[in-house]
Amino acid sequence: PSGEKCTLWGPLALRHLEDPTYGRRHDQGNLEPRAMDRPNYRKTMEAYLNAGAVRFWFVERDGRPLPGLGVLLYGPRPYYQVGGTSAEGYQCRAAFAAFGYVIDALCSAGVTEFHLGGVPDAAESESDLDHGLYRFKRGFGAEPVRCWDGWGRT
């Protein structure tokens, strides 16, 4: 909506929410994923903000952000860049509300495709450590699209 302005508060609050998110994944044995270090994160988000290339959404309770997400805006194909959820937000499933709101807002703005980011092919298996993330993304009706990373992996 017009009149809204994203400030650095948004991405810094979101970075704070990443710690419990990655902590939950690490507690489940998935030690590979981790958040970007804070100095580089700040520089990256400042550049995105200055270019008008990112938008942040949060669900709050009593002034506390529960989940938040940052979306890079690429015309009709935005990209989910970063997100996090506090322990309280995780317990009340607030990330589902946040994504539902954002998906509705993007569709209302004419978006026809929303890239939710990737998971390894193995995540489709219930025994894979990334299966929860896979299931979360599929829960919104996402259709998997096989992509290759720079190292020849899908």
Side-chain angles (χ1 to χ4, degrees), residues 59-152:
V59 172
E60 295 181 348
R61 178 185 282 167
D62 299 325
R64 295 181 318 278
L66 301 179
L69 56 145
V71 176
L72 294 176
L73 306 172
Y74 293 119
R77 293 186 181 96
Y79 181 85
Y80 167 60
Q81 174 68 23
V82 63
T85 304
S86 69
E88 180 183 7
Y90 185 77
Q91 290 172 353
C92 69
R93 301 172 57 94
F96 289 95
F99 270 90
Y101 179 87
V102 169
I103 290 168
D104 285 347
L106 293 172
C107 287
S108 294
V111 167
T112 58
E113 192 174 309
F114 181 28
H115 192 308
L116 294 177
V119 294
D121 282 344
E124 193 170 352
S125 168
E126 290 184 19
S127 64
D128 190 81
L129 292 171
D130 281 320
H131 182 71
L133 184 58
Y134 170 85
R135 191 178 59 242
F136 176 78
K137 292 177 180 185
R138 286 298 306 262
F140 293 103
E143 293 294 325
V145 175
R146 176 158 288 153
C147 299
W148 295 91
D149 66 13
W151 295 272

Side-chain angles (χ1 to χ4, degrees), residues 11-31:
L12 293 179
L14 187 50
R15 176 60 185 84
H16 181 71
L17 291 171
E18 284 185 303
D19 290 333
T21 298
Y22 284 106
R24 280 189 300 276
R25 293 180 76 186
H26 292 174
D27 289 347
Q28 295 169 358
N30 193 346
L31 302 179

